[in-house]
Amino acid sequence: MAVDYTVIVVYLAGMLAMGWWGMRRAKSKSEFLVAGRRLGPWMYSGTMAAIVLGGASTIGGVGLGYQYGLSGAWMVVTIGLGILALSVFFSARIARLRVYTVSEMLDLRYGGRAGVVSGVVMWAYTLMLAVTSTIAYATIFDVIFDLNRTLAIILGGSIVVAYSTLGGMWSITLTDMVQFVVKTIGVLLLLLPIAVVKAGGFGEMKAELPTEYFDPLGIGGETIFTYVLIYTFGMLIGQDIWQRVFTARSDKVARYGGTVAGTYCLVYAVAGAVIGTAAKVMYPKLPSADAAFATIVKDELPMGVRGLVLAAALAAVMSTSSGALIACATVANNDIWSRLRGVVKTDGADGADGADGADGEAHDEAHDEVKGNRLFILIMGVAVVCIAIALNDVVQALTVAYNLLVAGLLVPILGGLLWKRGTAEGALAAVAAGGLSVIGLMWGYGILANEPIYFGLLICLVVYVAVSLATKPTDAAVLAAWRERLAGRGAEPEAEPAPVPQ
């Protein structure tokens, strides 16, 4: 294992080095939170794919393939469909808003009255997403170094918190690009063909396994529908995803780069299901489907390759964990803490952010904003590691997070983008009704049941439409300003950025 250990240690050291390099670039709020809004198509596509394809998509995707065969790809397929839908239909408008958070978008659309409530819901979602990603370190480091659960979480979490705190979105973008390349090589180019060959090829796999393992709908129509509601719609409205859209250099980069990332997710989904299916042939009696990935890596791959594929799994977890962490900290600072202190700016202007040396007061303000956001990442990171150590059930935590997000915020966000009659009162009532109802339904039906998200989303929609129609339409001036921002004309220009690699 010496060679494998070397590969892993070099990878982890590289992540910290990227964090240090990113710290030198992140001199303003815009640079720290959204990489200066200047990523080109190559970097944007890689980082978007990296954040959505985490431990659940890699280890969990292989596990679903082990359990259900090729139809186990559906979970990751619905994630890819969500990124495609976001990129094609909404990303250009989102990018032109030039805001930092989803709650700022809601404030702009509804007149500044939806931010704190929506911020709390989004913060809870991003916090639990970061926690579940951090828990996954225990599985990977147990295979690599035979560490106990707590030490594994502290080690993995500390590295992510370190590079995220140092350079913010620049560090995360740079590490995500490395992680994207490592995942592509490790999972698609190495593990996939090796697993198929070790299983005897597709002919042998079909001979050894029941026919339902090769049925595209074998996992069940109701399960696929639930995946669409939770993951496809979740991709449309999550702060962790939107914050990547905000990094795009232009609306065209957001649209076309996101389309490439969504297509990559579909390929990754099929690859994970095939690897899991191959593992079922080789190890038909594993105690847990989620153990399929670690087992096949540990037993079937040659040294060096094994280290690279484990680094790929680590990359998958780290990219999602760091993206969720900066999203959680951004929401906590900008949407909750700043609003409670009464100092938030909801116009999304970034004009002072890049004025390096032009105005001493503006420069000091930008430095303070970076310092404040860096502190919140550190605080949220420590909280995430502590909660991850205390929490055991990853699936339940992730289900709660996505149920709250979709049932509470999907309708107000998409309604704001698509229906001009929606009002602030309707949005606030919908957030409250959707959030509270889904919590009550999870209590009654069980956290993992499908009914909470079905009925919670329906209640949210009915309340949004009914209250919006029963209340006074949104002020014409607010809607006019909103339309200006959607057209990309309402925000103050940022400082001219330095050239960035594509």
Side-chain angles (χ1 to χ4, degrees):
M1 294 288 288
V3 176
D4 298 323
Y5 289 157
T6 301
V7 172
I8 298 295
V9 170
V10 168
Y11 168 76
L12 294 175
M15 295 300 97
L16 293 175
M18 291 290 184
W20 183 261
W21 190 88
M23 183 177 67
R24 301 175 62 187
R25 296 191 67 95
K27 302 297 185 182
S28 66
K29 179 181 179 181
S30 176
E31 295 279 357
F32 191 83
L33 294 182
V34 291
R37 306 186 196 276
R38 44 176 151 151
L39 297 190
W42 165 239
M43 292 188 74
Y44 179 84
S45 299
T47 58
M48 180 61 82
I51 187 178
V52 298
L53 296 174
S57 301
T58 304
I59 299 170
V62 171
L64 287 172
Y66 183 89
Q67 189 172 0
Y68 298 104
L70 298 185
S71 67
W74 272 107
M75 184 186 77
V76 185
V77 164
T78 56
I79 290 173
L81 293 177
I83 295 300
L84 286 171
L86 175 70
S87 302
V88 172
F89 299 112
F90 300 108
S91 64
R93 281 181 281 181
I94 293 170
R96 288 195 293 266
L97 289 174
R98 303 185 78 78
V99 295
Y100 292 106
T101 68
V102 175
S103 295
E104 285 184 39
M105 167 263 164
L106 291 172
D107 274 350
L108 285 169
R109 169 60 181 82
Y110 294 113
R113 288 178 285 171
V116 174
V117 175
S118 61
V120 170
V121 175
M122 189 63 75
W123 174 79
Y125 156 72
T126 54
L127 178 71
M128 294 314 297
L129 183 61
V131 166
T132 55
S133 301
T134 302
I135 290 172
Y137 295 127
T139 300
I140 299 171
F141 281 111
D142 176 57
V143 175
I144 299 171
F145 299 121
D146 196 26
L147 291 178
N148 69 46
R149 182 179 183 277
T150 299
L151 286 177
I153 290 172
I154 292 173
L155 175 59
S158 297
I159 293 171
V160 169
V161 172
Y163 73 69
S164 301
T165 302
L166 285 172
M169 186 59 81
W170 265 123
S171 294
I172 293 170
T173 297
L174 295 169
T175 55
D176 276 358
M177 282 305 300
V178 175
Q179 290 158 354
F180 172 73
V181 172
V182 171
K183 278 191 285 191
T184 300
I185 295 172
V187 175
L188 297 185
L189 302 184
L190 292 176
L191 183 58
L192 174 61
I194 290 174
V196 172
V197 170
K198 292 280 188 178
F202 285 103
E204 182 68 19
M205 290 162 62
K206 286 186 175 181
E208 290 289 332
L209 296 173
T211 55
E212 55 263 29
Y213 264 72
F214 301 92
D215 179 0
L217 303 179
I219 198 170
E222 184 178 356
T223 299
I224 295 171
F225 181 64
T226 303
Y227 283 160
V228 170
L229 284 183
I230 293 177
Y231 296 114
T232 301
F233 288 141
M235 294 299 108
L236 295 179
I237 58 175
Q239 169 66 27
D240 52 324
I241 309 301
W242 277 40
Q243 201 155 344
R244 296 310 172 99
V245 177
F246 300 150
T247 66
R249 186 175 61 199
S250 66
D251 54 2
K252 289 184 179 179
V253 169
R255 182 184 294 114
Y256 296 117
T259 301
V260 171
T263 304
Y264 179 91
C265 291
L266 301 183
V267 175
Y268 200 89
V270 175
V274 171
I275 293 167
T277 304
K280 183 67 175 180
V281 173
M282 291 182 278
Y283 308 99
K285 298 186 181 297
L286 288 178
S288 166
D290 284 340
F293 180 88
T295 302
I296 196 170
V297 169
K298 196 170 185 180
D299 293 349
E300 302 297 336
L301 300 186
M303 75 176 172
V305 173
R306 181 170 49 216
L308 185 58
V309 173
L310 287 172
L314 198 55
V317 176
M318 282 187 162
S319 56
T320 300
S321 180
S322 59
L325 176 59
I326 193 172
C328 177
T330 302
V331 171
N333 188 16
N334 291 268
D335 291 338
I336 301 175
W337 177 245
S338 293
R339 292 170 192 272
L340 293 177
R341 293 171 58 215
V343 297
V344 71
K345 295 187 295 181
T346 58
D347 62 3
D350 301 315
D353 282 355
D356 187 17
D359 185 323
E361 185 176 342
H363 178 77
D364 290 342
E365 181 181 351
H367 176 75
D368 289 342
E369 286 182 324
V370 171
K371 186 177 179 181
N373 282 290
R374 183 173 282 136
L375 177 62
F376 264 84
I377 290 180
L378 180 60
I379 293 171
M380 291 296 107
V382 172
V384 163
V385 170
C386 292
I387 295 172
I389 292 171
L391 196 64
N392 285 317
D393 200 319
V394 180
V395 176
Q396 289 197 5
L398 196 60
T399 301
V400 170
Y402 271 102
N403 281 355
L404 278 173
L405 174 71
V406 174
L409 292 180
L410 177 68
V411 170
I413 292 171
L414 295 189
L417 288 169
L418 300 173
W419 189 42
K420 67 178 182 180
R421 186 61 180 82
T423 66
E425 293 81 4
L428 286 170
V431 172
L436 292 175
S437 63
V438 82
I439 291 172
L441 289 164
M442 283 189 291
W443 182 272
Y445 284 99
I447 290 177
L448 299 180
N450 293 327
E451 288 83 359
I453 188 62
Y454 296 165
F455 295 129
L457 192 55
L458 180 62
I459 290 169
C460 185
L461 175 62
V462 170
V463 170
Y464 178 73
V465 172
V467 175
S468 292
L469 292 176
T471 52
K472 185 178 178 182
T474 304
D475 187 86
V478 172
L479 287 178
W482 166 252
R483 286 192 291 270
E484 285 291 301
R485 291 296 288 271
L486 279 179
R489 295 189 294 266
E492 296 179 22
E494 297 179 3
E496 185 67 24
V500 175
Q502 300 306 305

